[in-house]
Amino acid sequence: MELKRVVVTGLGTVNATARSASTFHRALRAGHCGIGPVSVFDPSDFRTQTGGEVRDFKPRDMLPRFISLKRLSRSDAMAMVAAIEALTDAGLFPVPDQLRPELGVVIGGGAGGMLECEAVYRDYLQGRGKRPAYSAFASFGCASSADQIAGQLQLMGPKTTFMTACSSGATAVGYARDLVQTGAATAIVCGGTEPLCRITYSAFNSLQAVDPQYCKPFDKNRQGMSLGEGAGVMILEELGHAERRGARVYGEVLGYGVSCDAHHMTSPDPEGGGAVLAMARALEDAGIPPAAVDYINAHGTGTPANDKIETKAIKHLFGERAYRIPVSSSKSMTGHTLGAAGAIEGVVSLLALHHGFIPPTIHCTTPDPECDLDYVTEGARAADLKIVLSNSFAFGGNNTALVFSKFSQQGERP
Amino acid sequence: MNRRVVISGVGMVTPLGVGKTVFMERLFGGSCGIRPISLFDATPFTAKLAAEVVGFTAKDFIRPASIRRMDRLSQMIAAAARMALDDAGLAIDEQNRDRVGVMLGTCFGGTDIAAQFGKVLFTEGPRRVNPILVPNTVMNAPAGHVAIELGVRGINTTVNHREVGPETALTYAAAQIMRGRVEAVLTGGGDILSEFFFNVLSHFKTLSPQNGETEGLRPFDVRGNGTVVGEGVGIVCLESLDGALARGAIPYCEIVGWGQSAAPALAGGWPTETDGPCLAINRALAAAGIAADEIDYICASANGGPRLDRLEADALRQIFSHTGGGPWITALKGALGESLSAGGMRAAAMALALNHQRLAPIVGLHQPIADLNFVRSANARAPIHYGLLNTISSGGTFVAVICKKIEEQRGVER
């Protein structure tokens, strides 16, 4: 079977720092922090009260009238906004009729409709109200985002949803790339979405994995992550199709790798074995040597364990050259958007490739001897990037790494 | 993309029993796993029946230290994965551990545990929640546990898309093996019965009995009045044909093609048009390079719900009715209940049918809704070369997988 080249022709995002990919580009350049007090629910009883919230999110004002918001959870609505932005950005909205059977949807999820469902559950447990609003459960689970996007836009290509916790969004992009590469679809609306919700917030707090202030990835005094929310969506398209319609190309999805630590459900393998495997597989799939990587968009959650082990894994794979590769964490700005993170960071990677810059790691001010790489702490940096590696690691030991490249017609490999 | 992919091992924890021997005899013999609910008090609900897993003892398959860390679904999945691996005769060692993957599908996953966690959160407050529960609240917990239990670090992922998770995971796994990215994958999945979700489902009025009629799951039957909830797990070991034969293993069947599609449906509701399911089946036939009249046996997803069964019968008639008597059609949920992620059990059942040239009868069917070649009698035998695993999910997602009898081992039964 002939494998097709897969390019990215549209981007969309909603997150704590931005309501669109273009405003996200400016926020990343400015090193804007989206982490602040949480208001989507009352956090006053929790150990911490901050997060990367999408404030004043009004999907009705951001979507065409014909898109119904009935039974869309917050998570679904964020995915829908990002998906329509990405399709519009790609010049594929409204979706051409002849493309509908060949256009798929692959979404990585996290808590799905939990924000709405947990409120119903709470009322039920606390005996409030006459009868629980069971209709909220129509959008329970992660599948409803993809169902709503495909259903309302009448898309008939392959559709599915991954839930691998913090690597869901990255895995969705990787799988979508396979589908386009092997001809199962001409294009895929792919990405991830995640809402802030009480159960997730409480879970990470109970594990003491959350920084009470804001996350400080790779900083000596880091105390944990900041939970965030949002959606990141990109349009993956078969190169020939993109060229025939004269689409703008942000970059190419060169490869991806997935592995499992097989070590512990919530703690990463201290040797970083699974992380190294995922990165190495992604480079192998992309057909490029480690020496070709110009920038690493790190998982960089800000937990003591992740940042130390990710640094170790990068050194293991890249050797001495690790010290010359810029590595930054956009979670320092957006917070950790869990199921959406891999996709939002995919959007970051493509903006970086397309616009020629490296986004910074903010809040990293005190050097840590165990985190001694170039974390781009001084602010965004201009750079002509050819190859970007984006890492996503997760609960369950689920690791995914994505490799994006600047588009060149010849497709020559470094 | 040219390696041939086979099912070389099966493992199951089902309402018809644990392990392939008992499962097979009861399945082909027409036993029914549906009984009055014993896991919780069903008095408050209009539906009182379910297909519960029987005869499962986790310690027969999993290390005692691991059992403590796993929720009930993870225990069943880890046990089934161990059975599938043993059945395939595949030993995990340092040489192959990085090239064996785990790719699962689940609909509700660990949300039973999330509900337990949330109950404390919403009744006693965030400071009283139990962090020990957290790792099992996520959908990808079973896949993480399996990787740890078996020590495998290959591709690891979890599809969380309503009723179509295991089938989607299986097609993804088959593609990984075809491409040579991985040697073997344990794939399939499952769901468990929980009071919480039984409560929710009963409010959506999809469970038999509706209108106070006699309760029961009757696939493709004019008296079908809703489905009966089930639970259970099926895991199959996929590997390359060459790999299996080199180890001296006798595969059950080959995976020769699949198709995916989508169609609009109301949030969480069933689609109404046959174009979506027909598109997936036609894509699968094209991928397998065969004509519709070469399919001998179909395992349908009918669950006794009038809308789904009518839609599927119409779609199958549209594609297969012109082929003389048409293929044998079965639907296993009459015996297994609607466990949402039934694809693992159904794939294992398909492998057994092709290997033993035996047909599983439709339990609960007395007055067919369509003039199709339904399997009505127990212990039937027929020559079957190509089998179709057809899956229709609420929300409008479709996967069709075509399996083929292994010619290389003609006449050999496992």
Side-chain angles (χ1 to χ4, degrees):
Chain A
M1 174 183 288
E2 181 211 354
L3 294 177
K4 299 183 165 70
R5 291 176 65 186
V6 183
V7 293
V8 181
T9 53
L11 300 174
T13 186
V14 180
N15 62 63
T17 69
R19 298 291 182 281
S20 67
S22 56
T23 52
F24 194 32
H25 172 212
R26 289 199 289 278
L28 292 167
R29 286 233 191 222
H32 177 61
C33 179
I35 299 160
V38 167
S39 68
V40 67
F41 54 84
D42 176 8
S44 52
D45 288 345
F46 293 90
R47 194 174 66 89
T48 68
Q49 283 83 35
T50 59
E53 180 177 318
V54 179
R55 291 188 156 265
D56 304 316
F57 177 56
K58 296 192 176 71
R60 186 67 282 160
D61 300 343
M62 304 168 82
L63 289 166
R65 297 310 303 178
F66 78 88
I67 299 291
S68 165
L69 288 171
K70 194 180 173 198
R71 288 191 166 176
L72 263 69
S73 66
R74 183 175 175 88
S75 183
D76 295 338
M78 291 191 295
M80 183 69 87
V81 167
I84 288 182
E85 186 201 344
L87 283 166
T88 307
D89 190 40
L92 292 174
F93 191 80
V95 178
D97 280 340
Q98 72 277 12
L99 187 61
R100 289 182 207 279
E102 298 299 324
L103 184 54
V105 183
V106 179
I107 297 293
M114 189 68 92
L115 179 70
E116 292 76 11
C117 292
E118 69 188 7
V120 174
Y121 184 47
R122 178 197 58 197
D123 293 351
Y124 164 77
L125 289 170
Q126 296 176 352
R128 278 195 232 148
K130 292 191 186 73
R131 185 177 173 279
Y134 286 98
S135 60
F137 284 90
S139 63
F140 180 82
C142 304
S144 65
S145 299
D147 283 353
Q148 288 287 356
I149 294 166
Q152 295 208 38
L153 302 181
Q154 306 193 340
L155 312 182
M156 298 186 74
K159 174 175 69 175
T160 199
T161 306
F162 289 92
M163 167 46 197
T164 60
C166 312
S167 58
S168 305
T171 301
V173 173
Y175 177 65
R177 182 268 200 166
D178 278 1
L179 291 178
V180 177
Q181 195 186 32
T182 56
T186 300
I188 306 263
V189 179
C190 67
T193 186
E194 180 78 47
L196 278 169
C197 68
R198 301 162 192 87
I199 286 184
T200 307
Y201 201 80
S202 176
F204 281 93
N205 255 310
S206 76
L207 295 172
Q208 309 218 342
V210 184
D211 192 310
Q213 201 180 12
Y214 42 77
C215 66
K216 308 168 189 71
F218 305 109
D219 186 282
K220 188 168 194 299
N221 302 316
R222 66 186 183 277
Q223 293 177 49
M225 62 181 75
S226 292
L227 286 165
E229 64 174 357
V233 171
M234 55 184 87
I235 308 303
L236 301 198
E237 189 171 347
E238 190 267 310
L239 174 61
H241 188 267
E243 284 181 328
R244 280 191 295 281
R245 62 184 196 87
R248 171 201 37 211
V249 173
Y250 283 99
E252 183 167 358
V253 190
L254 271 196
Y256 77 108
V258 186
S259 75
C260 188
D261 278 3
H263 170 75
H264 186 272
M265 287 302 284
T266 54
S267 306
D269 173 0
E271 296 309 313
V276 170
L277 277 177
M279 289 189 279
R281 283 174 189 160
L283 295 174
E284 186 190 345
D285 189 36
I288 58 166
V293 174
D294 297 316
Y295 162 58
I296 299 173
N297 186 275
H299 185 54
T301 54
T303 63
N306 176 80
D307 297 0
K308 181 174 82 176
I309 292 164
E310 186 170 12
T311 298
K312 196 177 194 175
I314 290 169
K315 287 188 207 169
H316 181 92
L317 186 64
F318 293 92
E320 273 303 305
R321 195 170 166 271
Y323 294 93
R324 300 196 301 279
I325 307 174
V327 177
S328 71
S329 165
S330 18
K331 292 185 179 78
S332 64
M333 296 172 266
T334 60
H336 188 354
T337 59
L338 308 176
I344 290 177
E345 286 153 29
V347 171
V348 173
S349 302
L350 288 151
L351 288 171
L353 280 166
H354 187 66
H355 295 289
F357 77 106
I358 298 171
T361 304
I362 65 169
H363 309 311
C364 178
T365 50
T366 313
D368 177 350
E370 291 187 298
C371 298
D372 55 352
L373 300 176
D374 170 10
Y375 301 112
V376 197
T377 56
E378 79 286 0
R381 199 183 285 172
D384 180 24
L385 303 172
K386 300 270 192 307
I387 303 279
V388 175
L389 174 70
S390 178
N391 284 338
S392 295
F393 310 139
F395 268 21
N398 284 130
N399 311 301
T400 302
L402 296 167
V403 176
F404 299 100
S405 72
K406 190 167 202 157
F407 176 68
S408 80
Q409 181 60 47
Q410 294 72 29
E412 76 272 17
R413 297 288 194 270
Chain B
M1 283 297 284
N2 47 16
R3 285 176 185 75
R4 292 170 63 186
V5 181
V6 296
I7 294 180
S8 60
V10 296
M12 53 280 282
V13 176
T14 81
L16 292 181
V18 175
K20 99 177 153 178
T21 311
V22 59
F23 175 79
M24 196 164 74
E25 286 321 306
R26 289 182 182 160
L27 177 82
F28 294 127
S31 296
C32 182
I34 295 172
R35 282 173 284 273
I37 290 173
S38 70
L39 281 166
F40 52 86
D41 176 15
T43 320
F45 308 113
T46 51
K48 318 260 184 231
L49 300 177
E52 297 176 352
V53 162
V54 290
F56 174 60
T57 312
K59 67 175 166 53
D60 294 347
F61 308 95
I62 316 169
R63 292 175 298 185
S66 310
I67 292 174
R68 280 189 292 114
R69 296 192 191 95
M70 295 180 189
D71 62 304
R72 187 163 166 263
L73 177 63
S74 294
Q75 289 177 6
M76 290 183 187
I77 289 184
R82 170 62 72 192
M83 279 181 247
L85 205 56
D86 290 349
D87 189 39
L90 183 61
I92 303 296
D93 55 33
E94 278 300 318
Q95 272 65 51
N96 66 7
R97 70 182 292 233
D98 289 349
R99 295 186 47 81
V100 176
V102 181
M103 302 172 77
L104 303 178
T106 184
C107 180
F108 287 139
T111 39
D112 188 32
I113 307 296
Q116 286 178 38
F117 182 89
K119 190 170 186 178
V120 175
L121 173 65
F122 295 129
T123 56
E124 299 175 44
R127 283 165 206 282
R128 303 299 298 274
V129 298
N130 183 0
I132 300 292
L133 293 176
V134 172
N136 289 324
T137 59
V138 288
M139 301 285 180
N140 58 328
H145 281 300
V146 171
I148 293 169
E149 179 66 11
L150 304 177
V152 293
R153 303 201 297 177
I155 183 169
N156 187 298
T157 201
T158 301
V159 177
N160 176 217
H161 200 96
R162 304 194 194 274
E163 292 89 347
V164 76
E167 293 85 347
T168 308
L170 184 143
T171 63
Y172 189 7
Q176 296 300 301
I177 292 165
M178 277 183 186
R179 299 184 68 162
R181 286 175 174 163
V182 66
E183 272 173 31
V185 179
L186 295 159
T187 183
D191 271 299
I192 53 165
L193 182 64
S194 77
E195 182 173 5
F196 181 69
F197 278 105
F198 191 83
N199 186 1
V200 172
L201 290 170
S202 68
H203 281 273
F204 278 102
K205 303 201 186 312
T206 56
L207 301 185
S208 173
Q210 293 170 355
N211 310 319
E213 292 164 28
T214 315
E215 186 177 356
L217 198 162
R218 307 173 188 94
F220 294 125
D221 193 292
V222 292
R223 300 162 310 137
N225 63 348
T227 196
V228 172
V229 179
E231 63 175 0
V233 165
I235 300 289
V236 297
C237 180
L238 291 193
E239 61 181 311
S240 70
L241 175 64
D242 292 344
L245 295 179
R247 289 190 301 103
I250 304 164
Y252 289 94
C253 69
E254 181 177 356
I255 312 279
V256 290
W258 58 86
Q260 294 165 273
S261 67
L266 286 175
W270 297 104
T272 50
E273 308 289 328
T274 55
D275 53 351
C278 288
L279 189 56
I281 295 168
N282 285 324
R283 284 176 173 163
L285 291 168
I290 62 170
D293 62 6
E294 292 182 75
I295 297 285
D296 305 302
Y297 181 59
I298 297 173
C299 180
S301 57
N303 71 2
R307 283 187 207 141
L308 167 63
D309 293 14
R310 169 52 61 194
L311 173 72
E312 190 169 29
D314 287 350
L316 295 179
R317 194 166 45 194
Q318 219 168 306
I319 295 182
F320 298 101
S321 65
H322 61 282
T323 60
W328 292 105
I329 296 173
T330 190
L332 306 184
K333 290 174 189 170
L336 297 171
E338 173 56 276
S339 61
L340 302 164
S341 296
M345 292 188 283
R346 294 169 64 231
M350 176 61 79
L352 292 166
L354 282 162
N355 186 242
H356 295 276
Q357 300 286 291
R358 295 177 72 177
L359 311 178
I362 304 182
V363 175
L365 171 60
H366 297 288
Q367 296 170 251
I369 56 170
D371 183 22
L372 286 162
N373 204 7
F374 295 117
V375 184
R376 306 286 295 276
S377 51
N379 294 310
R381 288 174 182 272
I384 46 177
H385 285 91
Y386 285 102
L388 167 69
L389 191 63
N390 193 48
T391 313
I392 297 178
S393 161
S394 59
T397 316
F398 316 97
V399 178
V401 182
I402 296 177
C403 305
K404 182 174 181 271
K405 183 180 177 226
I406 297 281
E407 302 297 344
E408 284 75 3
Q409 298 289 333
R410 196 190 303 271
V412 176
E413 280 197 9
R414 294 184 50 124

